[in-house]
Every structure is written in structure tokens, then in C-alpha cells.
Amino acid sequence: MFTKDSDFVDSFVLNRTPWKLLLISTGNITNPELISLLLKNIDGIANGFEHADFIELSRFRIVYHV
């Protein structure tokens, strides 16, 4: 699951649901900017989910929470 809603982080931490979580913490950006950011980081996100269940994507970095 991917979301911009931080409430999902609480659910993930407490209940481990959903199984994998991508939190997009960019603030307000346009859809084209979001698509560009995701495409630019898709390999890092996909590879990260091999080792982490929770990944946070910002405009400037990817954080892998293990």
C-alpha cells in the first residue's frame, strides 16, 4: 500500500497492517511531480521492499525502516 496519510504509519507500527507500506511525505506536490518522483525512485523502492516493510519517500531521500 502507498499513502500520504500518516495515520497508516500508526496502524503499521501497531498491527503490521498493511503488510508493506510506502509513505509519501512530500507535502503538497502536483500529480506530474509525484509521478516523476516515483519513477525516479522506483528501483530504490522496489529493491528496498526486499529488506524493509516500511519505506518513506520524501522529495529528497528514501528512508528504509526495518
Side-chain angles (χ1 to χ4, degrees), residues 9-21:
V9 174
D10 295 337
S11 173
F12 178 80
V13 170
L14 293 173
N15 304 315
R16 299 304 269 185
T17 56
W19 180 60
K20 302 274 185 178
L21 179 65

Side-chain angles (χ1 to χ4, degrees), residues 3-6 9 22-29 34 37-38 54-63 65:
T3 184
K4 289 184 84 173
D5 186 345
S6 61
V9 174
L22 171 61
L23 176 65
I24 301 171
S25 56
T26 58
N28 293 331
I29 61 174
L34 177 58
L37 182 65
L38 287 168
F54 171 33
I55 297 175
E56 185 174 356
L57 176 65
S58 74
R59 292 179 193 224
F60 308 107
R61 64 187 179 144
I62 301 175
V63 178
H65 300 274

Side-chain angles (χ1 to χ4, degrees), residues 32-52:
E33 289 173 318
L34 177 58
I35 291 167
S36 176
L37 182 65
L38 287 168
L39 290 174
K40 178 178 148 189
N41 291 287
I42 194 71
D43 290 334
I45 294 167
N47 292 334
F49 274 129
E50 292 179 13
H51 307 286

